[in-house]
Amino acid sequence: AQSVTQLDSQVPVFEEAPVELRCNYSSSVSVYLFWYVQYPNQGLQLLLKYLSGSTLVESINGFEAEFNKSQTSFHLRKPSVHISDTAEYFCAVSDARGGGSNYKLTFGKGTLLTVNP
Amino acid sequence: DAGVTQSPTHLIKTRGQQVTLRCSPKSGHDTVSWYQQALGQGPQFIFQYYEEEERQRGNFPDRFSGHQFPNYSSELNVNALLLGDSALYLCASSLGGSGNTIYFGEGSWLTVV
């Protein structure tokens, strides 16, 4: 079984400031890792994912996350945030055995990122 | 190309009633999963369907049941509704195989009164 801990429930920042949303996971097996974003009254959208290879993964809108196996972490970062980045961010894991990225996701409780002008 | 579509978007039910939520997966996707997202919480996995069979199930009681049709669309049924079943129900679809992205619909908001 896996579990995910998102260490901050809310993160307020000013526009153009850097931000880090923290995610730690627990698992007895190898995992795939994901960040999803949820805008108000919408479903979840995949932001980025780590399956294998380079531990640093990037999204098209400037976010990046680094898989750290020894720290069991997958923190999300952006060097300069915009008002439009205001949303709830969810970290998730899935079992990597047998093509597990297509199987169930275990989510953290989410971090509400609020970008203020 | 339509993404994952869910219906209805909002509904209100009374305790003890039954509800059916519907989901059409993204075109070409053969795997459908359902998640429950309570207010202020992350989504929790209910179950997953592949080739019309339940492949995995999360920690939900038997009051929660589902079905997948030959066209890959799916239904989530909840019997004997409790106040605690009030939540956003999310459908997710994907194409079978390692590394494929899971896409989510916008959800069905269920309020039990």
Side-chain angles (χ1 to χ4, degrees):
Chain A
Q2 293 92 38
S3 66
V4 176
T5 302
Q6 291 185 242
L7 296 162
D8 305 295
S9 59
Q10 297 186 52
V11 173
V13 295
F14 288 108
E15 194 173 18
E16 297 183 5
V19 70
E20 178 180 81
L21 307 184
R22 296 180 293 169
C23 171
N24 286 91
Y25 69 92
S26 174
S27 177
S28 57
V29 300
S30 58
V31 295
Y32 295 138
L33 294 153
F34 309 83
W35 276 99
Y36 280 83
V37 59
Q38 187 175 37
Y39 297 101
N41 299 315
Q42 293 189 25
L44 299 169
Q45 300 174 31
L46 180 67
L47 195 57
L48 45 76
K49 62 183 178 182
Y50 170 78
L51 303 181
S52 64
S54 173
T55 57
L56 183 66
V57 290
E58 300 177 352
S59 72
I60 58 173
N61 57 353
F63 283 95
E64 65 178 31
E66 185 158 21
F67 169 52
N68 187 320
K69 189 175 182 180
S70 63
Q71 301 286 328
T72 61
S73 68
F74 191 55
H75 301 331
L76 182 70
R77 302 183 182 95
K78 189 170 185 179
S80 176
V81 294
H82 303 290
I83 299 281
S84 60
D85 292 324
T86 295
E88 187 96 31
Y89 291 80
F90 292 95
C91 182
V93 300
S94 70
D95 189 333
R97 297 171 296 175
S101 71
N102 201 24
Y103 296 164
K104 71 172 186 178
L105 296 170
T106 299
F107 286 88
K109 291 188 175 182
T111 298
L112 178 61
L113 173 64
T114 303
V115 182
N116 298 301
Chain B
D1 174 27
V4 181
T5 57
Q6 295 186 240
S7 63
T9 54
H10 294 82
L11 69 167
I12 300 174
K13 290 286 188 178
T14 304
R15 274 181 302 175
Q17 284 188 315
Q18 179 263 347
V19 68
T20 297
L21 308 178
R22 295 175 177 83
C23 172
S24 292
K26 187 175 169 63
S27 178
H29 286 186
D30 56 9
T31 303
V32 173
S33 302
W34 287 92
Y35 290 79
Q36 181 196 64
Q37 186 178 13
L39 206 58
Q41 302 293 318
Q44 286 197 301
F45 177 79
I46 303 175
F47 41 53
Q48 183 181 83
Y49 279 85
Y50 173 71
E51 292 188 342
E52 302 180 53
E53 300 265 336
E54 185 180 288
R55 179 158 68 175
Q56 281 197 80
R57 188 178 183 91
N59 189 25
F60 279 80
D62 291 344
R63 297 186 298 109
F64 290 77
S65 63
H67 189 77
Q68 185 179 36
F69 299 94
N71 66 353
Y72 305 125
S73 66
S74 177
E75 288 182 349
L76 165 65
N77 300 292
V78 187
N79 294 322
L81 285 166
L82 304 174
L83 296 180
D85 295 331
S86 295
L88 177 66
Y89 288 85
L90 294 165
C91 175
S93 78
S94 57
L95 183 61
S98 179
N100 291 314
T101 298
I102 298 171
Y103 292 85
F104 283 81
E106 297 201 348
S108 294
W109 282 100
L110 171 64
T111 302
V112 182
V113 297

